[in-house]
Amino acid sequence: MERTRDFLNQNIGSFERYAGFKDHQIYYDLIAQRLTSDSVIETCKALIEGISKTILNQLDIQRSEVKQRFQAHELKSLESTFSKMDGKTGEDFATLFRQAVLVLSVYHHSCEKDILNKLGNEFCKYIGKVRNSDGPISHGQPAPKPNTNSRTLATMVESVTDIIAFHMLEVFSLIDFQREDTPSEQQAITESFMLKTSEELGSICEREKIVREFNDFLDEQYPLEGKPRYSRALYEQYLEDYEIQLQEFIDNKEQELME
């Protein structure tokens, strides 16, 4: 685990806004000591799980800026995970990992989501299964212990954990979850023509609200009975005119607020 540990030590400033990873140092110490093969596997599982939870804990899923980053099915899945994390049952280890990878990939392009999922999902399921069946720490085992994992298996688990943890932390260090991304003008306009439920409309960004108000204003001024909305027709056929009038509409609103 030296690669991951060295990265954390050299880039600790990148994680200060997340309260650091000092509490995770015990994992690296235990893995390095290699007390038993089982303890290495148990601790590798705890490390990946801890990193995944730390990443997920950066999200406020109720914020509209956060919701806009994810597709509807992804949001539903994340909400389920957060509910389980806050409840008594907890979330499945492999699911926590998968959700954390999703968040990293949504927030930064450098996340190798496909290979992490293909490598990590099965790996997390496997070490979770091994830990549950043979782990001497979490569940306790009679003495002598019936099953003992080999040193070779522990070394392999440690190596794969190092690869996965390093990449997750590397991407994590590049993200500022506190920064609110303002959607581009083009994105706000495109979204404004989409049909949305009242619930979805309640979480749209301020820019999209203004564009939707402008569209309604145009449609009331120039009704096209039995034809596409005037605002959409203007946008699709005369984009420059649409943008000019939108800016004039915004300027007028700001002027009214100042008076």
Side-chain angles (χ1 to χ4, degrees):
M1 296 297 297
E2 289 305 311
R3 186 183 188 190
T4 303
R5 194 171 196 170
D6 288 345
F7 175 80
L8 268 180
N9 291 335
Q10 294 168 14
N11 296 274
I12 196 66
S14 300
F15 299 102
E16 285 181 353
R17 58 185 178 275
Y18 306 129
F21 279 96
K22 292 180 180 178
D23 292 342
H24 284 186
Q25 290 299 329
I26 185 65
Y27 297 147
Y28 300 99
D29 293 339
L30 288 172
I31 293 171
Q33 291 172 20
R34 295 180 176 83
L35 298 176
T36 66
S37 300
D38 294 326
S39 69
V40 170
I41 295 171
E42 174 90 28
T43 311
C44 284
K45 182 262 182 187
L47 177 61
I48 294 178
E49 187 171 6
I51 293 172
S52 299
K53 287 180 177 178
T54 303
I55 292 169
L56 290 171
N57 282 340
Q58 307 313 311
L59 289 190
D60 180 354
I61 203 68
Q62 300 306 316
R63 286 173 51 194
S64 59
E65 310 88 61
V66 174
K67 287 185 176 182
Q68 289 176 6
R69 291 178 176 271
F70 299 93
Q71 298 180 35
H73 72 278
E74 293 172 338
L75 270 177
K76 186 175 181 180
S77 178
L78 282 169
E79 288 171 350
S80 173
T81 290
F82 285 122
S83 177
K84 291 178 181 178
M85 287 172 65
D86 293 336
K88 295 181 179 179
T89 59
E91 180 59 285
D92 177 72
F93 166 48
T95 302
L96 286 170
F97 167 76
R98 186 171 63 253
Q99 298 286 46
V101 170
L102 168 65
V103 171
L104 291 177
S105 67
V106 166
Y107 273 85
H108 206 279
H109 62 85
S110 65
C111 178
E112 297 294 342
K113 179 183 176 183
D114 290 343
I115 192 169
L116 275 178
N117 279 334
K118 289 178 181 177
L119 169 67
N121 281 340
E122 291 304 315
F123 175 72
C124 288
K125 290 178 183 177
Y126 177 75
I127 62 173
K129 180 180 178 180
V130 170
R131 173 258 189 184
N132 286 336
S133 61
D134 301 331
I137 299 173
S138 295
H139 301 288
Q141 295 286 344
K145 185 172 176 288
N147 301 308
T148 301
N149 293 303
S150 69
R151 289 281 181 181
T152 301
L153 175 60
T155 301
M156 291 174 63
V157 169
E158 180 183 346
S159 297
V160 177
T161 299
D162 197 17
I163 294 170
I164 291 174
F166 172 79
H167 185 58
M168 292 179 77
L169 290 172
E170 183 181 39
V171 178
F172 191 34
S173 71
L174 300 173
I175 300 172
D176 182 357
F177 287 94
Q178 305 306 316
R179 181 173 64 87
E180 293 186 9
D181 286 344
T182 303
S184 67
E185 189 75 22
Q186 196 63 43
Q187 181 184 347
I189 293 172
T190 302
E191 289 286 328
S192 74
F193 291 115
M194 297 180 65
L195 292 175
K196 296 186 177 182
T197 65
S198 57
E199 183 179 353
E200 290 172 331
L201 289 172
S203 63
I204 63 176
C205 67
E206 193 62 34
R207 196 65 174 178
E208 186 181 336
K209 289 180 182 178
I210 294 174
V211 178
R212 284 179 175 272
E213 188 178 340
F214 169 66
N215 291 342
D216 292 339
F217 169 77
L218 282 182
D219 296 340
E220 290 174 4
Q221 292 288 105
Y222 308 100
L224 298 177
E225 193 171 338
K227 296 182 180 180
R229 297 174 62 184
Y230 177 85
S231 57
R232 182 151 195 167
L234 181 66
Y235 168 72
E236 292 178 346
Q237 298 178 38
Y238 302 99
L239 176 59
E240 186 176 350
D241 289 346
Y242 178 92
E243 292 176 337
I244 291 173
Q245 291 185 49
L246 172 59
Q247 190 57 55
E248 289 176 350
F249 179 81
I250 294 172
D251 291 343
N252 288 337
K253 282 185 66 69
E254 292 176 349
Q255 185 62 36
E256 289 175 3
L257 290 173
M258 293 174 62
E259 292 176 353

